[in-house]
Amino acid sequence: MRPPTAQEAVLAELRRLLVTGELAPGTPVRQEAVAERLGVSRVPVREALKVLEGEGHVVYLPHRGYVVAELSVADLTEVYRLRELLEAEAVRVAVPRLDDDTVAAIELAAREVDAAGRRGDLAGMTAHNREFHFLLFDAAGLPRLSRTLRQLWDATDVYRAVYFAGPGNRARVEHDHADLVAALRARDARRAVAVQKSHRDSSVVAVTRAIEGRVSPAGSAAAGGGRRAR
Amino acid sequence: MRPPTAQEAVLAELRRLLVTGELAPGTPVRQEAVAERLGVSRVPVREALKVLEGEGHVVYLPHRGYVVAELSVADLTEVYRLRELLEAEAVRVAVPRLDDDTVAAIELAAREVDAAGRRGDLAGMTAHNREFHFLLFDAAGLPRLSRTLRQLWDATDVYRAVYFAGPGNRARVEHDHADLVAALRARDARRAVAVQKSHRDSSVVAVTRAIEGRVSPAGSAAAGGGRRAR
DNA sequence: GGTCTGGATATTGGATCCAATCCTCTGCTA
DNA sequence: TAGCAGAGGATTGGATCCAATATCCAGACC
């Protein structure tokens, strides 16, 4: 299972560092340090960073390098608004197309989220949670929509573990997932969209708190738009 | 106005080649050739290509290199559906926030589209057309939404010039733009959304035809898997 | 005392070189 | 003749080296 190129290995490792928070928002990424840590030269590191820049995980400043992106509360609000629009579309399209196998797979993913939760495995929870939701989104058969949604999910991944950490939230997740599965079994798109929305709304509150608690007083610093600097 | 780094210069040039169709969909991108043409080494070329890969303009196959992405009709339909959802949101948010200066700038852009059209300058038309629309989208103050929309527009840029080439379409564009400006002046978001939608719908037809006319008979083929046939 | 200038150092950007992989074409074999 | 194996060339992937730029700090000047 090893990647065919070093850039992909570097990319995978950098993603892991970002999700676990070992590379915290706002810190600069030293190419030499990353390269040495992974036992490669700086070239594949640079290419991996270009990918992450495109995904908005790091911001690039010419001749100054890459910095781990920070998510402002405004940014977060925007991400969730876009998710609302796009996930609703995905669910509306996906539900009528669902076959029983897919529903079963979704249900299995839900059980794995619960199992991971019971043994306190946060990484496992986020991974299976993502699987749970994207099995549904992907069922819409709209690859570009899936890809855009993945970008939006990625953007807040750093903070997602915080949500799962709260035991109250864990119960809530379990409950919401069960509701969603029931709606899918009934092929009830409208209800699925509604469940999905309330599920999302409950997490935005928790993640907002996480950001406000973590971000340094100085930094409302931008993750979003601009490539151009001057 | 020269870029601070070679990668950005390469990126700009590659974008130009993609938009003008000099790099046609389906053709492989030879790093060495690009590098030589621009008088740089392959390193900045590779980094620029990684950016374009992230934007979906080229697809990357490990150890085989980059190929200019082809857009299937299904892809196109999806792009326009996503644009419908997201542009409606952008317009709804932007219109109440518009100030007179922005409206004036939008109107100016519209006039520049017309002017470019009259002198048969296709590149100028697409550039100013983009400016026209994104002045409005950006006015929503939602950077991530703008960015996502830019990605969607980029995906079909290759085919956009075809639309402007038709003289009938040019009149249509002129008319639609005028309608939109009127709606913006009146700060009528609902009407702006409607104009925008019908404007978009008329272009999807033309671009679909352009794709069907251009893509090789064999291929509905997509960006992903195409193997060489000969 | 504060601000500006100049140089030392760290870091990134790019070029060149070598290695690994893939593609093609030739020649052999059944 | 069709199919396969292997050699050779083409192309990409990665490492190393050098150049360009930014940052930081000391010292001069107002």
Side-chain angles (χ1 to χ4, degrees), chain A residues 6-63:
Chain A
Q7 17 175 319
E8 299 203 25
V10 173
L11 188 55
E13 175 65 5
L14 283 177
R15 280 192 213 281
R16 197 187 64 76
L17 293 175
L18 287 167
V19 171
T20 60
E22 286 184 67
L23 274 175
T27 61
V29 181
R30 295 288 154 235
Q31 300 174 4
E32 183 65 46
V34 174
E36 192 174 2
R37 169 166 185 160
L38 304 190
V40 296
S41 86
R42 276 172 46 222
V43 176
V45 173
R46 275 154 67 174
E47 274 170 314
L49 284 169
K50 267 281 172 289
V51 173
L52 293 173
E53 186 206 354
E55 295 172 357
H57 286 107
V58 298
V59 294
Y60 170 67
L61 300 141
H63 296 289

